[in-house]
Amino acid sequence: ESPMSWPANVRYFSPDGDPQLGDPSGEFMNPILMMTLDRARHDLGAPFVVTSGWRSVEHNRAVGGASDSAHLGGNAVDGYFDGVSLFRQFVHLARYAFEGIGIYPYTNPPTMHVDVKVRTPGIVTWWVRTASALYVYAPTSEFLAELRELATR
């Protein structure tokens, strides 16, 4: 394994233990993403359940992913901290060097998306996918309204 192989550099995730990463050989996922998520998982002290990682073009199309999805390059993970509210998950993940954080309250199970895909250098992107499947982005009032709603759950 190379020094920047993610499996050699994380404690809580593995190709075998997290098959939803879609990375059985440990070659596809971005090592910085995996190490950052590993640190966030360690600091929170709650298990992180992976629901999606690397995707092929075909798989991404089948699940309705964006054509420029960060999952295609192994630069995104979807999942959730078991037993932790989405609001608390968001506040926790916002402390780390993720480029994008998405909140998906209406999927089953409700999930978080984290990625290291640079959209605009120096600017992170936060969003919520609403009950009507619209994407609302920080710092809009729509995003803040969704976040306030999550804070009451």
Side-chain angles (χ1 to χ4, degrees):
E1 292 181 24
S2 71
M4 280 306 290
S5 162
W6 73 263
N9 288 286
V10 300
R11 286 179 274 194
Y12 299 102
F13 301 95
S14 69
D16 292 337
D18 298 287
Q20 295 302 317
L21 282 172
D23 191 5
S25 58
E27 297 172 17
F28 297 138
M29 295 303 299
N30 181 305
I32 300 300
L33 169 67
M34 295 308 300
M35 289 187 290
T36 304
L37 184 59
D38 196 64
R39 169 54 60 187
R41 187 262 177 253
H42 174 79
D43 292 347
L44 190 60
F48 187 88
V49 179
V50 174
T51 59
S52 186
W54 179 84
R55 297 178 188 161
S56 66
V57 172
E58 296 76 22
H59 178 65
N60 189 61
R61 191 178 300 119
V63 299
S67 59
D68 63 345
S69 172
H71 289 279
L72 295 168
N75 293 310
V77 170
D78 297 345
Y80 58 92
F81 288 102
D82 198 26
V84 180
S85 74
L86 285 179
F87 181 78
R88 185 165 168 233
Q89 290 182 58
F90 172 74
V91 170
H92 180 70
L93 291 167
R95 298 171 50 212
Y96 298 86
F98 296 112
E99 293 289 335
I101 301 176
I103 310 169
Y104 293 77
Y106 304 100
T107 57
N108 188 17
T111 58
M112 300 295 300
H113 164 105
V114 291
D115 71 54
V116 291
K117 175 185 170 183
V118 177
R119 294 159 180 84
T120 305
I123 298 177
V124 299
T125 305
W126 295 343
W127 68 91
V128 176
R129 187 170 186 259
T130 67
S132 55
L134 296 174
Y135 289 84
V136 294
Y137 295 86
T140 63
S141 58
E142 293 86 357
F143 174 84
L144 294 174
E146 292 286 337
L147 205 56
R148 286 187 189 105
E149 163 61 27
L150 288 175
T152 67
R153 294 186 186 180

